[in-house]
Amino acid sequence: MEPTLIDKPRALNYYCANASEINSKLKYAKIIGTGSSVPKTVLSNSDLEKMVDTSDEWITSRTGIKERRIADENTAASDVAYKAAEKALKVACVSPQNLDAIIVGTVTPDFVFPSTACVLQSLLGAKKAYAFDLMAGCSGFLYTLHVAEGIIKSGGAEKILVIGVDILSKITDFEDRSTCILFGDGAGAAVLTASDKPGILSSILSSDGDDWDLLYVPAGGSRTPIGEEVLKSRDQYIKMKGNDVFKVAVKSMESATINALNKANVSPEDIDLFVPHQANYRILEAVRKRLNFPEEKVFANLDKYGNTSAASVPLALDEAVNKGRIKEGNLVLFAAFGAGFTWGASVVKL
Ligand code: ACO
């Protein structure tokens, strides 16, 4: 079957300054543009009431989620990522032809291979860039930021497009009420540049592979390829021990956040907005209380989108920027936790 990619768009041309040589003496990696995109179709809690034994009241009180966006059968990660990238590049005034690298954080690539980053490179016409995917579950965007910062600081690139995108609906079991109420689809993008002005001030990443099987997709990889038995057992879909994940998520996000603040030498009071991974309102609240953040300093949009995995932090970041909740010069704190387990936090001056 022919892969259904979106129509190849005409060349984008947003670069507002002269392309300069990569300058490894520039000290910081700075975010100069953000963008996001979600599919049009809304799946509300009342829709889910008709599909599994659940209720709007249960979902809202246990998670804070009211609705999520679901991709149609012809839409893959690169399609949604392209729309987010287009917006971020436009805001950053950077043309795809001037990108040195594209890094995509995702657990739902278009194909097993090639990478979604390469498919996106083709859609954008970013001929000069090297492109690769990175898998870190819901922490995917923070991992892409960290890697991109390292590349920029080492002089390996000047302009990098980083994306967090997931189309979890394609690996969600809509007969399993413990998971299908949580997830949604989306993409968020950021353009990073080498700069002499402060940008990413600190970035902390951690993993603990011992608990990989608390949140995973059993089949579809080299351990258990998809076959008839798999389809019967529904092992091509996400399996999660939600309660266990919840406890580790709160502890890990708290410790990563404290470490990121210390590394950046800033206190919680210095932070203008905390943009955490949007998994569950109760997780956000638990982390917020432990860190003593006032409610108005925490950005949440999970009521509209659910847990969009790697897209969650950049989707929230872009919405916060567009709503005027983040202005130039503000200090923003990111934190995320996901499958692996992986987690991390980052302090960024916008
Ligand atoms: N509707 C109604 N009842 C439900 C539903 C549902 N959708 N789902 C579970 N229940 C029932 C359970 O069967 C259980 O019933 P029982 O007491 O009769 O056995 C009861 O509700 C309580 O279930 P718990 O699992 O204990 O509910 P909990 O309060 O832990 O909430 C949840 C579950 C929302 C999944 C929570 O544990 C959570 O958010 N965990 C974290 C998930 C997460 O953050 N994942 C992060 C990364 S995702 C990634 O990386 C891709």
Side-chain angles (χ1 to χ4, degrees):
M1 199 176 72
E2 277 292 295
T4 49
L5 300 178
I6 60 172
D7 291 341
K8 199 158 182 141
R10 64 194 147 71
L12 305 170
N13 192 15
Y14 297 139
Y15 200 46
C16 304
N18 289 331
S20 54
E21 300 262 305
I22 292 171
N23 184 347
S24 60
K25 292 205 184 82
L26 294 174
K27 216 173 138 197
Y28 295 102
K30 192 167 180 61
I31 295 177
I32 53 169
T34 63
S36 62
S37 178
V38 289
K40 281 199 186 77
T41 304
V42 175
L43 185 70
S44 68
N45 290 350
S46 54
D47 294 329
L48 282 163
E49 284 175 351
K50 293 171 201 129
M51 297 161 71
V52 287
D53 181 13
T54 191
S55 64
D56 173 45
E57 195 281 326
W58 192 96
I59 302 171
T60 306
S61 62
R62 298 286 176 129
T63 71
I65 300 166
K66 298 298 284 183
E67 59 187 41
R68 67 287 293 143
R69 299 300 182 94
I70 303 292
D72 65 35
E73 57 184 16
N74 294 322
T75 301
S78 67
D79 304 321
V80 190
Y82 171 77
K83 290 182 183 160
E86 194 185 21
K87 290 178 194 163
L89 288 162
K90 194 168 189 172
V91 172
C93 286
V94 170
S95 129
Q97 295 88 329
N98 287 305
L99 286 172
D100 302 304
I102 299 172
I103 311 174
V104 173
T106 187
V107 296
T108 48
D110 288 29
F111 310 107
V112 171
F113 70 85
S115 68
T116 297
C118 281
V119 178
L120 181 62
Q121 175 193 23
S122 167
L123 290 171
L124 289 168
K127 286 283 180 209
K128 192 177 74 155
Y130 53 90
F132 61 95
D133 286 2
L134 172 162
M135 187 192 281
C138 301
S139 313
F141 182 73
L142 290 196
Y143 270 64
T144 65
L145 267 192
H146 186 89
V147 171
E149 184 200 11
I151 294 172
I152 285 175
K153 281 184 165 174
S154 73
E158 184 186 326
K159 294 205 161 35
I160 304 186
L161 172 66
V162 294
I163 308 257
V165 56
D166 268 311
I167 309 296
L168 286 188
S169 64
K170 306 262 173 141
I171 54 165
T172 295
D173 186 350
F174 284 96
E175 292 184 9
D176 175 5
R177 70 176 181 172
S178 70
T179 54
C180 74
I181 52 120
L182 297 171
F183 302 120
D185 301 335
V191 179
L192 291 173
T193 188
S195 176
D196 54 0
K197 296 193 189 89
I200 298 176
L201 301 183
S202 72
S203 172
I204 299 287
L205 296 185
S206 300
S207 310
D208 182 357
D210 287 350
D211 286 328
W212 61 267
D213 56 349
L214 291 183
L215 172 55
Y216 78 125
V217 178
S222 59
R223 187 161 301 281
T224 312
I226 303 275
E228 268 178 42
E229 284 307 309
V230 166
L231 297 179
K232 264 189 246 157
S233 61
R234 306 180 76 77
D235 273 353
Q236 74 273 37
Y237 296 126
I238 297 171
K239 311 285 177 211
M240 180 174 72
K241 298 211 167 65
N243 242 314
D244 297 319
V245 176
F246 190 101
K247 286 174 214 149
V248 192
V250 173
K251 265 194 258 164
S252 310
M253 278 169 63
E254 181 196 9
S255 67
T257 302
I258 290 168
N259 289 338
L261 290 169
N262 288 340
K263 197 173 170 192
N265 205 15
V266 298
S267 65
E269 299 79 61
D270 298 324
I271 296 296
D272 293 296
L273 197 66
F274 179 34
V275 182
H277 170 46
Q278 310 283 310
N280 181 324
Y281 191 67
R282 284 157 55 216
I283 296 180
L284 263 62
E285 266 301 281
V287 176
R288 182 187 74 75
K289 282 182 184 152
R290 283 170 180 226
L291 294 165
N292 222 1
F293 270 116
E295 265 180 67
E296 64 275 12
K297 277 199 179 181
V298 182
F299 191 80
N301 64 1
L302 59 83
D303 55 325
K304 289 183 294 186
Y305 304 119
N307 178 350
T308 55
S309 187
S312 141
V313 169
L315 184 60
L317 168 67
D318 187 48
E319 187 173 322
V321 168
N322 289 330
K323 284 188 164 159
R325 295 280 304 274
I326 299 175
K327 298 190 179 63
E328 210 181 323
N330 278 177
L331 269 191
V332 179
L333 172 68
F334 300 130
F337 175 87
F341 290 133
T342 59
W343 63 96
S346 194
V347 176
V348 175
K349 195 172 177 91
L350 265 296

